[in-house]
Amino acid sequence: KGAIVDGKWTPGANPSNPTQLPDTADASHDLHLYVSSPCPFAHSVWMAKELKNTSQFKLILTSPVQGEEGWNFDASHPDTLLGKNHLHQVYSEGDPHYTGTSSVPLLFDATSNSLASNTTVELMNLADQFGSNKDVSLFPQQKEIRDFLGGLVQKTNYSVIFHKTDEEAAKGLEPIHQFLGELDAKLNDQKFTFGNEITAADIRLFAVLMRYQLHCVGTVAPARSVKDFPNVWRLIKDVYNTGNIKSTVFQDEIRDWFFSKMNVQPGPNSTTIDFSS
């Protein structure tokens, strides 16, 4: 663990006043989007890029395995823009005095050699604005969707249930099960979270809930399958089959990264997801 302090990787650091990036970009500039397949935040932006056909964002994938210095690059996942070995070096290239985490997603502006944004919602919004697919609007209700996304992490935080007794895990899962039940009831009358058209809310839900299914179900005994909530499961399958989203899903990488990070062995009934069932 560590972070970047004044442009330098610092093991064990946890800066309290990180650098705030502008969260804006010029569509005419040479823009490069750094993502990693296991990260649900980066995956959400990647899906938004694919769905909206945001060609301005040139994709660069980090290795799905984090090292001692965070996200890094390897022979199979090279930094095709700057040739760096670690993502924190990309941050320091864009801002020699940057302080904060070396996180994905990251949008790098190669025209100005600067950091544009590493905020998931803002990057999804930029992908929506810049994308050529005008048949899809990811933020048709800006405030409502942003409010929904703002509360999603808290409602679906399942990392706290690992290394617990079944009783403790069951208590930790109560908010998630309640959220799934409420969402399932809401979806009785509509196809997606905010009506019958896919939005940013559904993309983020997919990123979170498919990981819940991969990480928890079959490993943590009290965890209920998303398939127990038929309308939610239908939504997950619909998102997966929309546009080119399925090309962004790497289930083994998602599972391996999480179980390694949490120091947990997958349960005997833990499996990858069959989106056709």
Side-chain angles (χ1 to χ4, degrees):
K1 292 183 178 181
I4 308 165
V5 178
D6 196 26
K8 296 179 177 60
W9 177 258
T10 307
N14 185 23
S16 57
N17 294 301
T19 301
Q20 298 298 309
L21 301 187
D23 288 331
T24 60
D26 186 330
S28 68
H29 283 196
D30 184 16
L31 303 174
H32 297 257
L33 179 65
Y34 288 85
V35 302
S36 188
S37 63
C39 174
F41 300 102
H43 188 199
S44 299
V45 178
W46 186 4
M47 286 189 285
K49 164 186 160 49
E50 293 297 329
L51 188 56
K52 289 292 298 188
N53 191 27
T54 310
S55 58
Q56 296 92 333
F57 290 1
K58 302 173 184 68
L59 192 72
I60 300 177
L61 277 167
T62 75
S63 166
V65 180
Q66 283 179 295
E68 291 295 319
E69 299 181 34
W71 299 110
N72 52 67
F73 305 97
D74 57 26
S76 300
H77 305 85
D79 177 8
T80 53
L81 175 64
L82 301 171
K84 303 296 187 183
N85 295 319
H86 305 283
L87 184 65
H88 69 77
Q89 296 169 328
V90 176
Y91 273 89
S92 299
E93 176 74 21
D95 181 354
H97 298 288
Y98 176 84
T99 292
T101 60
S102 176
S103 61
V104 286
L106 170 66
L107 187 65
F108 189 95
D109 185 333
T111 301
S112 59
N113 202 53
S114 63
L115 308 174
S117 178
N118 60 359
T119 305
T120 301
V121 175
E122 300 307 333
L123 285 171
M124 293 177 77
N125 196 34
L126 287 172
D128 190 35
Q129 293 175 29
F130 294 171
S132 62
N133 181 7
K134 302 306 180 184
D135 293 332
V136 174
S137 176
L138 296 182
F139 291 88
Q141 300 162 260
Q142 275 277 353
K143 183 181 185 304
E144 292 85 350
I145 292 176
R146 283 175 176 269
D147 287 347
F148 176 85
L149 295 178
L152 186 60
V153 172
Q154 183 178 1
K155 292 177 181 177
T156 57
N157 179 19
Y158 55 78
S159 62
V160 297
I161 68 174
F162 290 90
H163 305 291
K164 305 285 187 182
T165 66
D166 283 355
E167 183 178 347
E168 290 170 331
K171 186 171 182 61
L173 284 163
E174 284 176 4
I176 301 174
H177 292 161
Q178 179 180 346
F179 171 74
L180 287 168
E182 292 170 353
L183 179 61
D184 198 66
K186 180 179 181 179
L187 292 171
N188 273 327
D189 302 316
Q190 57 197 59
K191 184 176 181 181
F192 292 109
T193 312
F194 281 87
N196 292 314
E197 302 295 333
I198 192 170
T199 68
D202 305 297
I203 291 175
R204 283 289 292 125
L205 271 175
F206 176 85
V208 171
L209 294 181
M210 71 160 290
R211 283 165 173 78
Y212 163 79
Q213 186 78 10
L214 289 171
H215 300 154
C216 300
V217 178
T219 295
V220 180
R224 295 183 62 184
S225 172
V226 176
K227 295 180 181 180
D228 292 343
F229 305 88
N231 292 326
V232 179
W233 177 234
R234 170 183 49 77
L235 180 148
I236 295 301
K237 292 193 294 183
D238 285 344
V239 173
Y240 179 78
N241 287 301
T242 299
N244 200 32
I245 281 179
K246 66 179 62 176
S247 70
T248 70
V249 178
F250 293 84
Q251 296 193 56
D252 288 336
E253 292 181 359
I254 292 170
R255 280 163 49 87
D256 291 348
W257 171 79
F258 182 82
F259 288 128
S260 174
K261 177 183 178 182
M262 297 300 294
N263 194 24
V264 171
Q265 290 296 318
N269 297 317
S270 173
T271 64
T272 54
I273 302 170
D274 179 2
F275 290 100
S276 66
S277 64

